[in-house]
Amino acid sequence: MTPRPMTALNPFHTRNGVLHAESVALSDIATDFGTPCWVYSRQALEEALDDFQQELAGLDALVCYAVKANSNLAVLDVLARRGAGFDIVSAGELKRVLAAGADPQRIVFSGVGKTAAEMELALNTMELALNTGILCFNVESAPELERLNAVAGKLGKRAPISLRVNPDVDAGTHPYISTGLKENKFGVAYDEARALYRQAAALAHLEVSGIDCHIGSQLLDAAPFAEALDKLLVLVDQLAGDGIELQHIDLGGGLGIRYSDADVPTSVHAYLQPLLAKLKGRPLRILLEPGRRLVGNAGVLLTRVEYLKPGEVKNFAIVDAAMNDLSRPALYGSWHDIVPVAARAGDAAKWEIVGPICESGDFLGHGRELTLAEGDLLAILSAGAYGMVMSSNYNTRPRAAEVMVDGREAHLVRRRESAEELYALEQRLP
Ligand code: LLP
């Protein structure tokens, strides 16, 4: 990896009064590709990955990007070219990363509900890739161990495994995205992990390779990660005493990003240094699974104001993006900054930024202080992670186009769906 030349400009910045992604005006993107439209910056993606790679330089470490955050092939390709591996959770994601040219030896497979068919596909990926195999299955339960052993046995293979251990630490994040507590469905209980490792080691078609955890998402504080690692290392030592030497430790993802001025995210340096200090001198390969931190601030959702509906109690700005595009506000009450692409003069008012969908939950932002006119373009910021991937076709709304900016060029990396495509798989009764 050659480090990017230092650029003074933030990938998203205002130039001549117009918001740009790198060197392309978002107003030009709206003209060329229409709205709503997701816009990603290659530079922002690369810089975010470089932040991790620089901290890990010289170490036996691999950043496995959590594909679920944004699985567009162009995003996967940009990250793969810079040395990222991938954390996948389904057969679909496996096919995607392979289509993007990923090396199977850089793929870990997470998820609580892997089907036998998915396991088989991942094990057969080994054949396609000259028997190198995926790097690891992150197993989350005793029955999954048994199933994987059976599937691997049937195929005459040995599956490399890690156990996702639930360290029972409080990530202090939104309850829907907190995953490391005892009450969560994820991982195996800390107290049961040692016995389960012994069981795994005795199964003929499994190869015990590592240990992993993922405690939650959008963590702004580094302390819970260190707490989780401490717990995992106690287990690593106990297992060594049992004759089970682990090859790697996977600390999951979860590092938060800035959504508003209220968020002060930990730097990648401040996140990793305490962890690396604890791992120093141990012969363990280090894996990480960041998702949001790599893509979240590398994307915006571009939308146009269709109607202004000032009211006695509230003013509504009805835009052409909706909860089917960006569901995070409706789903988690998440805040995304919303800014005009070109600021206009005049008195600001407080606007409810809402979409055209027939639900009161269809909002993108409440009470935003903006000066607006019909036809204005707005950018919904920090929308690169868990944006497009969580969009739906509710109200038979075709999913928006995705564009990636690379310097002066804007590339269409997923074309807008058509309404006809949305019902093409359906048929009327005979
Ligand atoms: N590894 C595992 C096993 C995960 O389950 C996740 C995310 C990650 C890594 C990546 O986490 P990140 O670095 O992105 O925080 N839809 C929610 C977020 C759900 C996260 C699920 N798991 C949102 O929009 O906030």
Side-chain angles (χ1 to χ4, degrees):
M1 182 200 75
T2 17
R4 288 191 69 92
M6 284 297 284
T7 36
L9 283 178
N10 183 307
F12 293 95
H13 60 272
T14 299
R15 195 189 294 179
N16 305 327
V18 179
L19 188 61
H20 281 60
E22 304 189 29
S23 297
V24 181
L26 292 187
S27 46
D28 288 342
I29 291 181
T31 305
D32 293 348
F33 303 100
T35 56
C37 175
W38 304 93
V39 184
Y40 309 128
S41 153
R42 178 181 185 166
Q43 179 193 333
L45 290 171
E46 293 187 340
E47 285 177 354
L49 179 59
D50 288 1
D51 275 353
F52 282 84
Q53 309 276 44
Q54 276 157 20
E55 293 300 325
L56 298 167
L59 297 173
D60 186 9
L62 181 63
V63 177
C64 292
Y65 165 59
V67 173
K68 61 168 79 79
N70 184 325
S71 56
N72 185 286
L73 290 188
V75 171
L76 303 179
D77 178 46
V78 163
L79 296 176
R81 286 197 213 191
R82 269 184 122 63
F86 297 104
D87 167 41
I88 58 157
V89 291
S90 67
E93 286 189 353
L94 176 58
K95 289 180 180 177
R96 261 183 192 280
V97 297
L98 294 174
D103 172 358
Q105 266 300 290
R106 290 171 168 259
I107 299 173
V108 297
F109 195 163
S110 298
V112 287
K114 301 177 197 83
T115 65
E118 285 177 322
M119 291 172 172
E120 212 166 302
L121 189 74
L123 287 161
N124 277 334
T125 298
M126 301 179 177
E127 248 152 40
L128 297 177
L130 305 173
N131 226 16
T132 54
I134 67 164
L135 181 57
C136 198
F137 288 85
N138 290 348
V139 173
E140 302 215 17
S141 67
E144 188 190 334
L145 268 187
E146 296 289 345
R147 182 182 289 183
L148 184 58
N149 184 58
V151 173
K154 194 179 86 181
L155 300 175
K157 302 184 184 232
R158 271 165 76 93
I161 66 116
S162 155
L163 285 184
R164 173 165 174 183
V165 176
N166 188 336
D168 197 28
V169 301
D170 188 356
T173 182
H174 189 287
Y176 285 10
I177 52 178
S178 182
T179 49
L181 283 171
K182 267 190 184 158
E183 64 204 53
N184 298 125
K185 70 176 175 183
F186 303 99
V188 302
Y190 187 80
D191 298 337
E192 292 162 22
R194 194 171 170 190
L196 215 51
Y197 265 108
R198 290 208 210 109
Q199 199 180 315
L203 290 171
H205 303 290
L206 300 183
E207 176 85 46
V208 174
S209 166
I211 186 166
D212 66 283
C213 73
H214 171 75
I215 57 175
S217 201
Q218 184 54 14
L219 274 75
L220 295 173
D221 177 14
F225 293 109
E227 203 188 316
L229 176 56
D230 282 338
K231 287 196 161 178
L232 257 50
L233 287 177
V234 170
L235 204 50
V236 168
D237 292 336
Q238 287 171 346
L239 290 170
D242 296 342
I244 301 173
E245 293 284 353
L246 300 182
Q247 314 294 310
H248 76 254
I249 186 161
D250 174 345
L251 298 173
L255 190 61
I257 61 166
R258 181 199 169 283
Y259 282 100
S260 75
D261 285 339
D263 303 325
V264 186
T266 306
S267 69
V268 174
H269 176 78
Y271 156 69
L272 280 180
Q273 282 316 311
L275 305 181
L276 298 180
K278 289 178 195 292
L279 289 165
K280 204 170 172 162
R282 287 180 176 265
L284 282 171
R285 186 177 194 201
I286 303 161
L287 269 54
L288 300 169
E289 301 170 359
R292 191 190 314 265
R293 187 65 177 234
L294 296 186
V295 295
N297 286 329
V300 305
L301 175 58
L302 186 59
T303 184
R304 195 180 287 281
V305 176
E306 289 287 344
Y307 297 100
L308 293 180
K309 241 178 118 172
E312 260 179 47
V313 183
K314 283 180 174 171
N315 301 316
F316 292 96
I318 299 156
V319 300
D320 64 5
M323 67 187 285
N324 77 294
D325 298 301
L326 183 65
S327 62
R328 303 190 71 256
L331 204 52
Y332 315 112
S334 307
W335 174 283
H336 286 259
D337 277 349
I338 301 177
V339 300
V341 167
R344 60 169 58 249
D347 288 341
K350 278 206 168 161
W351 295 97
E352 298 293 302
I353 311 294
V354 301
I357 285 179
C358 322
E359 298 219 21
S360 297
D362 181 23
F363 71 94
L364 298 162
H366 289 306
R368 302 306 176 91
E369 191 92 23
L370 292 164
T371 307
L372 293 181
E374 250 178 43
D376 280 1
L377 288 169
L378 296 175
I380 303 170
L381 305 186
S382 311
Y386 306 108
M388 175 62 171
V389 283
M390 285 171 54
S391 66
S392 76
N393 294 120
Y394 190 34
N395 283 202
T396 306
R397 287 172 50 83
R399 272 177 295 181
E402 290 175 290
V403 168
M404 189 178 294
V405 173
D406 182 8
R408 295 179 183 286
E409 311 272 339
H411 302 274
L412 183 65
V413 294
R414 190 182 202 271
R415 69 167 170 79
R416 187 179 308 283
E417 290 173 344
S418 71
E420 291 74 16
E421 284 171 308
L422 302 192
Y423 54 81
L425 303 180
E426 301 165 23
Q427 57 188 4
R428 296 190 289 175
L429 290 179

